[in-house]
Amino acid sequence: MAAPAGDDPDSLMTLTTIFCLRNLRKTMCYQGFKNKLSLRSDIFLPSEICDKLVSTYMEMVHTDNNFEPEESFFQLFSDPRSTRLTRVQLREDIVRDKDLEAIRKQDLIELNLTYCNSLSSRSLKTLMCFRETLVSLCLFGCRYIFYRRGAPLACSEDTEDEDCPVSRQALETDFNFQGFNRLRLLNIEGLPDEVDVETLLKPLKCLTSLELANVQLLGTAFLTQWKDRLASLVLYNVDLSEELVSTVVELLHLRHLDISRESRRASLKFKMTRKILTSIVQRLVNLVSLDISGHMMLDNCTVPHFEEAMGRPSIEPCKSSIYPFQELRRPLQFLGLYDTSLCNVTHIPAQKVTGSKNEEQVLNAIEAYMEFRPELAHRAINQLFDIARIQHCSQLLRALQLVIAALKCHKYDKSIQVTGSAALYYLTNTEYRCDQSVRLRREVIQVVLNGMEQYQEVTVQRNCCLTLCNFSIPEELEFQYSRVNLLLLKILEPSRQDESIQRIAVHLCNALVCQVDNHHKEAVGKMGFVKTMLNLIQKKLQDRVCDQVMEFSWSALWNITDETPDNCQMFLNCHGMSLFLDCLEEFPDKQELHRNMLGLLGNVAEVRVLRPQLLTPQFITVFTNLLDSKADGIEVSYNACGVLSHIMFDGPEVWSMEEPQRDRVMEKMWDAIQSWDVSSRRNINYRSFEPILRLLPQSISPVSQHWATWALYNLVSVYPNKYCPLLIKEGGVRLLEKVLELESSQPETKDMASKVMEHCENFKDDPMETNDGQEDS
């Protein structure tokens, strides 16, 4: 059977790179002067490995919570005799001026700096070090790189103290690209208005690709200096004019033209006409890619509806529903029509179209605009959310991969985190689950947890928690077990949390501590799990509200204390017994609540050193009274009897109280057990019989022995497939034989023990036996 799409394993190169980065001191480096990392003298790394190390390092810093950035990481690449960098991509505020300076001796061919808002004009000086080799340069979103740091008296440009703020008044005006003779591709976004774009770019004689997003152009004629070379021009959110369009159509070698805009920008007054669009198509005959997203068409550019409806959709230019594109010699490879009315027509002469008409156009928009157009990507993801929620997503793998990539790329963009996390909820639900690989679902979990860490905002938290509910818990979350528990507990810390988030988070907490190993439970207990749940219970008690949060909190405590003495001790230390009594008094008719509370106290009673704290007249009276409870079938009565059975097992010598009398309590226990229907279906799940089995071969408390035997008889008769093998595996049959040998064992206890042994024997003879009653999930 083929693996689900998207489940291809990582390459050996990727795995090795990640291992080295997690273990720098054990693989490539040693601790040098002032605890800074230094590369070992016998290490020589080619550019393929160095480029991979840097790109993987940047990805891990931004997407892996368990990975700590190294202060001197970039210093490892300071000497080109031992390391070679050629293509470097850096993003976000973690990149500082000194990091770029550390690699200034490298012969970089490609340098991408995206949203590096910590860079100042010091980095412009560093760029000069790469001018003889650099072919491609991106300075997108580096909004302070043309400004100097701080006040002159506080710190200077050359200081190592990068905590000095960038001064928006100290503009760097002397920099230009003189000497960058090999530069072919340049991407600059959002230049300060005071920077003269023409002067800045004039030395670049050989550009073939120029991206000027959100840049104010005072003149346009300078663009013609590249009319014999320029193949790609991006003028996103640039104020268009007829003069600028006239200049653009002179660039006859253009293959890609982007004159799109964010339609909600009121400052952009230019209106696209049929004449202008026709001029672009007629003059720029080499175009294979055109983006006019966000433009309002002034006059009718489309053929009448009755004409375009004829025939099947076609990409042939002669059949185009958009008149100007009938002039095309061949279909475009890409056409950006996002946020225009043109995307809704039938015949569009392009292989890939962005728009909002259908899923294909929306996915194309996310893909095209993800990195450099977050405002457009946000809106497209929102439309994908509607498709997944209301209709059906037919390209699930692509949709998931694009949303994951967008969330990783824009970890600090709240709008994308909100819409992306909402889309993930619908893209990972039951309808789509069978098509998703283990690896892909793990990637979803990672980006969801990243969002929860970064944003305490209600909508993001709710979306992320809801998305986690689409996974098998705890199995699919176990690889991030500690992290997800810490995040959920942090969500639950505020005393006045959003009600819906609180309910979902408590449900997740409960599911995460159910059916996991004890070491997981102990670790979560040390995180403050027990105290957090009790705080929630205390708050609900103060409000006199018994809702799902209250019931889930007690259920979570029941699960986390199962065979975990340290957590049981925490429950008692945090005044859990007082809350138990208060809840019992305040909510006498809440059956589910009583069952959860008594199940928890059963776990406490299993810990011998803690039982003396339960042996008080008040507690024993409460447990005894609950023996008569009919709440939730037999569950409350059964659990109360279990608590008392463990206490009785310690013998009469520990019973120091006069009331209630030990013999009287045991009588009531006998009566309760005899009233239970042994064929009762149980809302309980035993992972081990050890706490029950220890009550069997003893004569101290026959009633405890009888309770334990009844419990085993009920479970192996109602759920033989699950509990017969467990009882046999844990040596229960041998202990039951001893019950038969003991003179102190009651006849009805011996009779029940024989029936349990008979069930196990029958199961061994016919392991395929089935039973109509299946255990509750």
Side-chain angles (χ1 to χ4, degrees), residues 5-8 10 15 63-64 400 404 407-408 424 428 433 436-450 467-468 470-472 474-481 483-484:
D7 210 17
D8 299 330
D10 285 325
L15 294 173
T63 62
D64 190 339
L400 259 181
I404 290 169
L407 288 168
K408 284 183 177 180
L424 285 182
T428 55
R433 183 169 183 170
Q436 297 167 11
S437 67
V438 172
R439 179 174 176 177
L440 193 62
R441 288 177 72 80
R442 285 194 169 195
E443 282 193 76
V444 172
I445 292 169
Q446 291 275 27
V447 296
V448 163
L449 297 183
N450 288 344
T467 300
L468 291 178
N470 285 337
F471 292 81
S472 297
E475 295 83 7
E476 288 190 284
L477 299 184
E478 198 159 2
F479 79 106
Q480 292 280 291
Y481 194 76
R483 183 184 180 195
V484 69

Side-chain angles (χ1 to χ4, degrees), residues 116-141:
C116 297
N117 290 320
S118 293
L119 297 182
S120 71
S121 60
R122 273 174 57 184
S123 289
L124 290 179
K125 294 184 178 180
T126 306
L127 287 182
M128 297 298 292
C129 301
F130 309 127
R131 63 183 181 275
E132 294 181 2
T133 58
L134 210 56
V135 173
S136 175
L137 174 64
C138 173
L139 300 177
F140 189 90

Side-chain angles (χ1 to χ4, degrees), residues 236 260-264 290-296 334-344 348 352-358 360-366 368-369 373-384:
Y236 175 70
S260 63
R261 67 181 192 180
E262 215 288 290
S263 63
R264 300 178 185 184
L290 174 64
D291 200 331
I292 57 171
S293 297
H295 281 285
M296 180 184 296
F334 174 87
L335 179 57
L337 299 178
Y338 190 77
D339 209 8
T340 72
S341 58
L342 300 182
C343 70
N344 296 310
I348 303 176
K352 183 174 286 189
V353 179
T354 68
S356 54
K357 178 182 180 181
N358 52 40
E360 176 70 20
Q361 289 187 2
V362 169
L363 292 177
N364 289 341
I366 299 173
Y369 306 132
R373 312 279 190 273
E375 59 277 12
L376 299 185
H378 157 245
R379 290 163 61 187
I381 293 171
N382 203 34
Q383 288 161 340
L384 176 63

Side-chain angles (χ1 to χ4, degrees), residues 9-21 52 56:
D10 285 325
S11 67
L12 182 59
M13 175 71 163
T14 297
L15 294 173
T16 306
T17 303
I18 292 173
F19 178 83
C20 288
L21 288 170
K52 180 73 171 177
T56 306

